[in-house]
Amino acid sequence: MIESESTVPRIGQIVQTLKGRETGSYSVVIQQLDERFVLIADGDRRKFDRAKRKNIAHLHLCDYVSPEVQNSIIESGRVTNGKLRYAVSKFVNEVLNDEKKGDMFDG
């Protein structure tokens, strides 16, 4: 089975949880375990050292990859919880708010 690019999570990509206790929350992909599972963390409730193993089918892959997180993991294999918090808050504040502002002007 050939997967399209949008269904393959990338390191540093922002995801929204669709199933489970943390439904609706945003996290960052920090490791790809196999074709079905990734490790996610947000730096706040879910720290880098205690990342959550999550089925890709239970995640919405947002079209945003944090370059800070991606570069840090590629260079050192780790990322600080502060960078994870920054990446999630930057996405929520900039990308989501921009989408909502665009929706207001459509009507």
Side-chain angles (χ1 to χ4, degrees):
M1 181 174 104
I2 299 173
E3 294 182 3
S4 68
E5 190 65 35
S6 62
T7 61
V8 178
R10 300 185 304 274
I11 302 297
Q13 186 169 17
I14 302 289
V15 295
Q16 184 177 24
T17 305
L18 300 176
K19 301 260 189 209
R21 187 178 298 163
E22 298 169 351
T23 299
S25 66
Y26 292 94
S27 300
V28 183
V29 175
I30 58 172
Q31 186 180 347
Q32 172 99 29
L33 297 176
D34 57 31
E35 65 277 352
R36 284 185 56 211
F37 290 97
V38 293
L39 289 180
I40 61 171
D42 64 7
D44 185 21
R45 291 181 310 261
R46 189 55 75 171
K47 307 281 192 208
F48 176 83
D49 292 336
R50 297 193 32 83
K52 175 81 174 156
R53 180 175 172 261
K54 202 76 176 150
N55 189 328
I56 295 168
H58 298 166
L59 298 172
H60 168 69
L61 304 178
C62 300
D63 192 25
Y64 179 82
V65 176
S66 168
E68 298 90 2
V69 172
Q70 192 177 42
N71 292 339
S72 180
I73 291 176
I74 289 170
E75 289 171 11
S76 66
R78 295 186 55 81
V79 65
T80 63
N81 290 314
K83 273 189 188 166
L84 291 172
R85 287 191 300 271
Y86 172 76
V88 171
S89 68
K90 181 178 175 185
F91 172 76
V92 169
N93 293 334
E94 292 180 13
V95 178
L96 291 184
N97 287 340
D98 286 351
E99 286 178 8
K100 287 178 184 168
K101 287 176 190 168
D103 290 344
M104 286 192 293
F105 294 122
D106 290 344

